[in-house]
Amino acid sequence: MATRASRPLGVVTRGTTNPNRLRRVDNWIVDTCADALRSAPDPLVVDLGYGATPVTAVELRARLAAGARPDVRVVGLEIDPVRVATAQPAADPPGLTFARGGFELAGLRPTLVRAFNVLRQYDESEVADAWATITGRMAPGGLLVEGTCDELGRLGGWVLLDADGPRSLTLSARLATLDSPAELAERLPKALIHRNVPGEPVHDLIRALDDAWRAAAGYAPFGPRQRWLHAIAALRSQGWPIQNRPRHWRLGQLTIPWSTIAPTHPPSG
Ligand SMILES: C[S@@+](CC[C@H](N)C(=O)[O-])C[C@H]1O[C@@H](n2cnc3c(N)ncnc32)[C@H](O)[C@@H]1O
């Protein structure tokens, strides 16, 4: 008989997903987390909450196998048993399986966890516990990438965490379709999406980015990438400690230490 402790932690939520929706975060993960994966005794990765179809788990395995470690093993965990059964036929490539599980990670000890568009449908007050539950079950040196994006993956934001807690926030925009960086506010990770209000540091960041983007309008004829690069340079000159990652800047991304934009007080509720 199943015990209370063996029940997956969390609740079933909408399963919306799309092919290539997570391409931008996956490529960032390959760049940022490959060393952790390469040095891990067991290259186990969990894709937590893969949704109505397993397409983004299939893509994650392929990207990590090509860019980080060919023997990577990805386990797609879903709290909805129907979605686990639906995913089984996709478990064709070696190194890809599916199972039922929640924030407790079904007893697995992965080196890397990607949880995308999962916490979005929870309360802000549930985020800290979910983070702690996941990171407390990772292998030593393990990393969690938790975030949100729009349905096509053009706008997104994610947090990188280790066992000590959140390390950084990354904002990501497909520059060819970006009107204004203020649009990123709608796709902040759950821990920050309600903090885009005056007095909160993430609000200051998005406002500063938006101002810098508008001030860089003169570079628009050279393309949105040039305009973004000038906006990033302006933010850095104002003292925002944006990580020095020109390759990611050119892709419409920026990463900043969590301590710079952490909420000023715990969520109510
Ligand atoms: C919106 S879908 C995200 C699909 C995919 N990750 C993406 O970004 O396209 C969210 C999925 O997370 C699942 N989910 C919610 N809470 C979960 C939990 N605690 N553990 C595992 N899966 C969970 C839901 O059942 C749903 O299928």
Side-chain angles (χ1 to χ4, degrees):
M1 194 169 89
T3 64
R4 190 176 165 76
S6 69
R7 278 219 309 262
L9 295 176
V11 293
V12 176
T13 56
R14 277 194 308 276
T16 314
T17 190
N18 267 313
N20 269 325
R21 180 188 200 186
L22 304 185
R23 182 178 59 82
R24 295 171 64 83
V25 63
D26 284 356
N27 290 338
W28 185 93
I29 287 174
V30 169
D31 276 359
T32 309
C33 307
D35 284 349
L37 212 49
R38 286 191 193 110
S39 59
D42 179 10
L44 176 63
V45 175
V46 163
D47 183 21
L48 186 66
Y50 54 80
T53 76
V55 61
T56 60
V58 174
E59 293 167 349
L60 177 64
R61 194 214 64 87
R63 289 178 184 130
L64 288 173
R69 191 160 160 169
D71 61 344
V72 67
R73 294 190 298 123
V74 173
V75 179
L77 288 183
E78 243 298 332
I79 200 159
D80 181 344
V82 176
R83 293 174 188 158
V84 179
T86 307
Q88 293 307 339
D92 261 339
L96 181 62
T97 52
F98 297 97
R100 186 159 186 237
F103 298 136
E104 82 298 336
L105 305 182
L108 300 172
R109 300 269 290 158
T111 291
L112 175 65
V113 180
R114 184 190 69 182
F116 236 77
N117 298 303
V118 175
L119 292 184
R120 184 179 172 80
Q121 294 166 67
Y122 286 75
D123 280 347
E124 184 190 8
S125 60
E126 296 175 284
V127 171
D129 276 357
W131 281 355
T133 305
I134 297 169
T135 57
R137 282 155 177 81
M138 298 186 309
L143 297 169
L144 164 64
V145 179
E146 187 277 306
T148 302
C149 66
D150 66 353
E151 294 202 359
L152 297 179
R154 294 175 170 181
L155 294 167
W158 54 87
V159 184
L160 175 70
L161 301 98
D162 61 19
D164 294 328
R167 280 169 37 172
S168 63
L169 168 73
T170 297
L171 300 178
S172 173
R174 182 173 181 268
L175 295 175
T177 49
L178 182 70
D179 285 331
S180 145
E183 295 165 33
L184 284 161
E186 294 166 31
R187 304 295 167 175
L188 286 168
K190 188 71 192 191
L192 294 171
I193 194 161
H194 306 295
R195 304 309 182 116
N196 186 35
V197 292
E200 290 286 352
V202 75
H203 178 261
D204 295 342
L205 172 65
I206 288 184
R207 204 180 49 182
L209 180 59
D210 208 49
D211 288 349
W213 173 261
R214 271 188 280 111
Y219 295 96
F222 302 101
R225 177 177 293 174
Q226 285 305 316
R227 187 174 176 182
W228 180 263
L229 290 173
H230 279 87
I232 298 270
L235 251 61
R236 280 164 62 89
S237 70
Q238 291 164 28
W240 289 97
I242 294 169
Q243 285 179 9
N244 188 14
R245 288 176 151 199
R247 217 178 73 74
H248 290 175
W249 300 343
R250 283 194 288 277
L251 296 171
Q253 298 178 338
L254 68 82
T255 297
I256 193 158
W258 178 259
S259 55
T260 316
I261 48 75
T264 52
H265 56 84
S268 53

